[in-house]
Amino acid sequence: MSADLAAARRLVGAPLEQVPTPALILEPAIVRANVEEMRRRMETLPAALRPHAKIHKSPALARLQLEAGAIGITTATVWEATAMVEAGIDDVLVANQVVGPRKVAELARLATLGRVIALVDDAGNAAAISAAALAAGGEVGVLVELDVGLHRAGVREVGAAADLARLVDRLPGLRLLGAFGYEGHCMLEPDREERVRKARAANARLLELVDEMEARGLPTEIVAAGGLGTWDITGANPRITEIHAGSYIFSDAFHRNLVPGFEPALSVLATATSAAGRTAVLDCGRKSIGIDRAPPELIGAAGRVRFEHGERFIHEEHTAIELDDEAPRVGDTFRLMPGYSPTTVNFYDCYFLVEAGIVTDVWPVLGRYGTETTGVEA
Ligand SMILES: Cc1ncc(COP(=O)(O)O)c(C=O)c1O
């Protein structure tokens, strides 16, 4: 355990207000309710859930999801996969390309400890993973990624993707498991009908690849896609075996509007460092709270992040708030719901779990970039 984490653990039993700010606060009762809500929703669909752990970077939270029926865990980086596998989670899909000798070697090492799957859209990368898997003595699972419209990664053409699948199938140290096509360009579509139309088109494109792979006698036991914004569209397709929604676990100012029914479980605790009238400046900002796609919202106090000069007043280490009818004082603490949870979590070493205003536990945030992942000595 790091010295920082040990210091944080000494706050277990203390009132929330004693935690040095800014701090990442997690309400376990809300997390459990969100996980249960998703379990209940997934029961209505043919697809299974492999929740994305980029949102929380916590094996403890991944375990709650597995206990609620998740078939495995998804990660965005090999380092998040390391955190999961080393905590004993033995079915992990890195929903990304893993490129570069150190990362490829790590992927191959993890594959000797559990079932580890990665995406491939390039023959040279497939060969590199094959060589590393042979050297490590394991077998890396592979899904061939097809670009279904996001234009981020993935082979652009179905025929070329099927050719790559055939190559992967023949390479030693790799186990071809199927196909992947993330319809991320549909997630932000606010119009429900349009989101459904776009997502179905993206899913259909992925299934063209699956058809082609099946015609060539290649394995397609995993057909994966989907995030929270399309959970009930992609997850309803009987040929898609698993979806990777993850943001339901915390929700946030953005996801709460995108997919209602999940409560905000995560907040940033901040302290007023300056006050005037009904406004205050808090000791949090762009370096401690994710604001992608939505501004943060005050929790438990009537007011909002101040809007000034055409945008929300959020600087690197300062956030200005205005209360509706109270005058904040220097030293008062406030909680903010992040605009976007995944980029909030990444700023912190740990979560403070809080129940009834008391810190009940401290859980590490793992798999961030640091000395362990880069190999640079501290
Ligand atoms: C590949 C992939 N799958 C799934 C997701 C789903 O995440 P969310 O639950 O936030 O929609 C993401 C989010 O960026 C992603 O990049």
Side-chain angles (χ1 to χ4, degrees):
M1 194 197 313
S2 74
D4 286 350
L5 204 55
R9 288 237 161 92
R10 286 197 283 277
L11 286 161
V12 171
L16 172 66
E17 293 72 25
Q18 285 184 18
V19 177
T21 57
L24 195 58
I25 306 301
L26 190 61
E27 290 178 85
I30 304 180
V31 167
R32 277 193 216 97
N34 288 344
V35 168
E36 172 56 20
E37 173 65 12
M38 197 61 184
R39 186 198 63 74
R40 201 185 55 71
R41 291 187 186 196
M42 288 306 299
E43 267 181 7
T44 66
L45 297 177
L49 178 64
R50 183 190 288 274
H52 212 311
K54 75 183 168 91
I55 288 101
H56 54 66
K57 292 174 174 276
S58 160
L61 289 166
R63 234 172 265 120
L64 284 182
Q65 294 172 309
L66 291 166
E67 283 161 17
I71 57 163
I73 290 296
T74 303
T75 71
T77 71
V78 72
W79 310 118
E80 290 171 356
T82 301
M84 298 298 151
V85 172
E86 287 190 343
I89 293 170
D90 61 4
D91 196 334
V92 177
L93 188 159
V94 185
N96 209 340
Q97 282 66 36
V98 179
V99 175
R102 190 166 144 72
K103 294 201 285 188
V104 167
E106 178 66 358
L107 181 73
R109 182 185 77 85
L110 296 178
T112 65
L113 305 174
R115 180 162 88 148
V116 174
I117 307 165
L119 308 184
V120 157
D121 71 359
D122 175 79
N125 182 224
I129 298 173
S130 161
L134 282 181
E139 187 178 60
V140 175
V142 170
L143 304 182
V144 169
E145 180 170 6
L146 181 72
D147 176 14
V148 294
L150 176 60
H151 307 321
R152 182 168 74 177
V155 182
R156 268 28 180 190
E157 296 303 327
V158 167
D163 290 346
L164 180 60
R166 191 172 45 209
L167 173 80
V168 166
D169 195 43
R170 289 176 182 164
L171 281 172
L174 303 186
R175 176 175 291 268
L176 177 66
L177 292 170
F180 175 93
Y182 176 56
E183 69 287 14
H185 57 297
C186 310
M187 302 294 158
L188 305 179
E189 177 54 61
D191 181 84
R192 168 78 189 174
E193 267 180 39
E194 186 57 9
R195 205 191 303 170
V196 170
R197 193 192 60 74
K198 278 184 169 173
R200 284 192 181 149
N203 296 163
R205 178 89 176 141
L206 174 60
L207 292 172
E208 279 177 43
L209 172 59
V210 176
D211 286 341
E212 184 60 28
M213 287 169 65
E214 284 173 359
R216 296 186 191 195
L218 296 168
T220 56
E221 70 194 72
I222 296 180
V223 180
L228 185 56
T230 57
W231 76 275
D232 57 342
I233 310 165
T234 300
N237 189 312
R239 298 185 65 201
I240 291 183
T241 62
E242 59 180 71
I243 64 164
H244 298 163
S247 287
Y248 68 88
I249 191 164
F250 295 157
S251 201
D252 50 42
F254 169 69
H255 287 100
R256 209 162 54 127
N257 292 325
L258 187 72
V259 180
F262 300 98
E263 296 304 317
L266 188 75
S267 56
V268 169
L269 182 72
T271 304
T273 53
S274 185
R278 285 188 293 107
T279 70
V281 169
L282 308 183
D283 61 351
C284 66
R286 289 169 194 265
K287 287 183 172 169
S288 48
I289 190 159
I291 59 170
D292 322 53
R293 306 208 170 110
E297 292 175 19
L298 267 178
I299 303 179
R304 67 208 52 77
V305 173
R306 200 161 82 208
F307 197 80
E308 202 167 303
H309 306 307
E311 59 175 358
R312 298 286 165 181
F313 198 110
I314 308 172
H315 293 180
E316 286 176 50
E317 304 286 3
H318 303 81
T319 295
I321 58 164
E322 55 194 8
L323 300 185
D324 287 346
D325 33 44
E326 272 177 84
R329 286 168 310 175
V330 168
D332 286 352
T333 55
F334 292 90
R335 284 167 67 190
L336 289 167
M337 182 198 312
Y340 197 68
S341 288
T343 49
T344 303
V345 166
N346 208 56
F347 288 123
Y348 292 89
D349 287 333
C350 65
Y351 297 94
F352 290 91
L353 276 67
V354 171
E355 288 165 273
I358 302 293
V359 177
T360 55
D361 210 344
V362 171
W363 286 356
V365 175
L366 298 173
R368 298 187 301 145
Y369 310 112
T371 52
E372 284 156 34
T373 58
T374 58
V376 175
E377 295 295 323

